[in-house]
Amino acid sequence: MIDPALANAPIATERLRLVPQVAAHAAAMMRVLADDRSHRFLPSDPPNDMRLLAARFARLETRRSLDGTEHWLNWVVFAEERPIGFVQATVGAEGATLAYLLHPSAWGYGYASEAVRAMIDHLQRVLAVTRCIAVIDSRNAASQKLAQRLGFSAIGTETQADFFKDTFSDEITFVAERPVLACAQATSALP
């Protein structure tokens, strides 16, 4: 079994720091998560109670599911000293299911690609992850392009997968296996 502290260790890239998320990040993340545009393709809304967000972050600090079958790995992404979003991975028997969210002020700078690549590299090295999965709303073209740039392939679409914000959501499942992940890792230093 992997030590949760090692599994969710800090990660650094050329421009970013990925810091293990803790309850103390709630105040800064309230500001990051406050923009409705970040939640457009998510069933969640911006948080409106810092105490509830801190409590949620505190639960996630265990880094493991209650039954111990999954690692819950969450990082706050910092550009210089400014938090700009998060990346996360739920690692289980089927591989790692990835997610990310960045504040709109951080869009268009390659931060998402850099942070997700760094997380994938970490998951491979520390947890020997060989399969990564991303489930993306079919209307979220930017996230689909990011997944494809990172070597993920679409393997299926679930129509009407969810109902939120007064409409149905179709979800596309993207997968990257070890050979593609190694390619993403090797190119992560490129601009």
Side-chain angles (χ1 to χ4, degrees), residues 42-164:
L42 300 173
S44 61
D45 291 316
N48 58 12
D49 185 325
M50 191 177 69
R51 288 176 299 168
L52 291 176
L53 185 62
R56 178 172 176 256
F57 285 3
R59 281 192 309 277
L60 294 172
E61 283 183 48
T62 64
R63 313 294 184 217
R64 301 215 24 115
S65 61
L66 291 176
D67 64 6
T69 61
E70 295 177 332
H71 289 280
W72 293 341
L73 309 177
N74 301 275
W75 291 269
V76 175
V77 179
F78 287 84
E80 297 174 3
E81 295 304 313
R82 177 177 59 107
I84 61 170
F86 68 78
V87 293
Q88 62 187 33
T90 300
V91 183
E94 298 297 315
T97 301
L98 310 181
Y100 73 94
L101 183 147
L102 296 181
H103 188 272
S105 67
W107 295 353
Y109 297 97
Y111 292 141
S113 178
E114 189 173 332
V116 173
R117 278 185 174 142
M119 179 176 58
I120 290 170
D121 178 54
H122 176 81
L123 296 171
Q124 286 183 294
R125 286 184 295 101
V126 175
L127 296 172
V129 168
T130 60
R131 185 173 197 251
C132 290
I133 304 151
V135 179
I136 302 171
D137 189 299
S138 63
R139 299 165 295 177
N140 191 343
S143 283
Q144 291 175 53
K145 288 177 186 174
L146 171 64
Q148 291 166 341
R149 277 194 311 271
L150 292 175
F152 284 70
S153 299
I155 62 164
T157 301
E158 184 179 349
T159 57
Q160 297 188 350
D162 208 351
F163 185 83
F164 61 91

